[in-house]
Amino acid sequence: MMERVPVTIPALQAISREGRRFACLTAYDASFARLLDDCAIDIILVGDSLGMVVQGHGSTLSVTVDEIVYHTACVSRVCRHALVMADMPFLADASTELALINAGRLLKEGGAQIVKLEGGHEICTTVSLLASKGVPVCAHLGLRPQSVHKMGGYRIQGQDDEAASLIFDEAQQLVAAGADMLLLECVPSALAARVVRAVDVPVIGIGAGPDCQGQVLVLYDMLGLGEGRRPRFVENFLAGKDSLRAAIEAYVDAVHKRHYPAQQHGY
Ligand code: KIV
């Protein structure tokens, strides 16, 4: 069996350049992190979805930096291979200075290797500052759950020409500002494909069709624990399997082999 080496940002860039795929899931604790790591997941995201799926809130807004630091440390402590990405909570980047301090905490205390920030052109200055200080950044565009009240709900973004152009332009601005990765949530597959072609960093999709190099799902959603109507892009990988391990291995395999997501999972 081939010895697995730790996943790095340059390694993910190489995977993307070579037209291969990488798999990402969320985790918030050591037991799931260990299982995901054993199942060869490429990235573990300690997402602020924590607020909804672990803490039972109706949105991600109440999650604090202390909470993300705590859960990121639980995950990174046991991770031997996967890259650990930590979410910057709502308003943790209210100023560029605050963003630097908080991102520093996620790396220094949490053990994350990259931070994820929601936003468009307005976060370019912050992304530049973090990049200049050696903090890797993934910029999260499209449906931005921290802006749920501005968006009026969790809706597909970038559906008309104007909205699609804005996301397309902002994706390029964020990469020019120093983002090492992009994450596109709930945007039309055609828009995601255009972004993938236009930028030279890996793009992770969730509800963004089959063309992104990386795919992410909230762990509990892909285990069938999601509440209410299941979004089109979520597949229950536990259905028909007899263990959590089998479900997670099936997800990693399906992403790596480009079987998931398929056209029908996109918009
Ligand atoms: O917080 C989270 O889990 C996320 C994913 C939905 C991408 O941001």
Side-chain angles (χ1 to χ4, degrees), residues 118-132:
E118 292 184 17
H121 62 273
E122 74 287 355
I123 62 164
C124 281
T125 314
T126 301
V127 171
S128 292
L129 176 66
L130 295 179
S132 75

Side-chain angles (χ1 to χ4, degrees), residues 26 28 45 47-49 87 116 118 140 183 185 206 216 218:
T26 65
Y28 320 91
L45 168 64
D48 60 1
S49 48
D87 244 341
K116 177 163 80 61
E118 292 184 17
H140 181 154
L183 187 148
E185 178 165 355
I206 173 165
V216 62
V218 170

Side-chain angles (χ1 to χ4, degrees), residues 24-48:
C24 173
L25 284 171
T26 65
Y28 320 91
D29 66 68
S31 295
F32 269 120
R34 201 178 280 117
L35 178 59
L36 264 52
D37 201 48
D38 274 1
C39 293
I41 199 82
D42 298 292
I43 302 181
I44 296 183
L45 168 64
V46 186
D48 60 1

Side-chain angles (χ1 to χ4, degrees), residues 3-6 21 50 54 60 75 87 92 132 148 168 175 187 191 194 198 211 224 240-241 262:
E3 182 63 24
R4 282 184 60 219
V5 293
R21 295 288 187 258
L50 164 74
V54 174
T60 60
V75 166
D87 244 341
S132 75
V148 59
F168 182 73
V175 173
V187 298
L191 170 59
R194 271 181 71 208
D211 291 304
K241 315 267 183 345

Side-chain angles (χ1 to χ4, degrees), residues 233-246:
F233 59 86
V234 174
E235 190 163 311
N236 178 350
F237 282 87
L238 186 57
K241 315 267 183 345
D242 60 5
S243 69
L244 295 172
R245 178 176 291 270

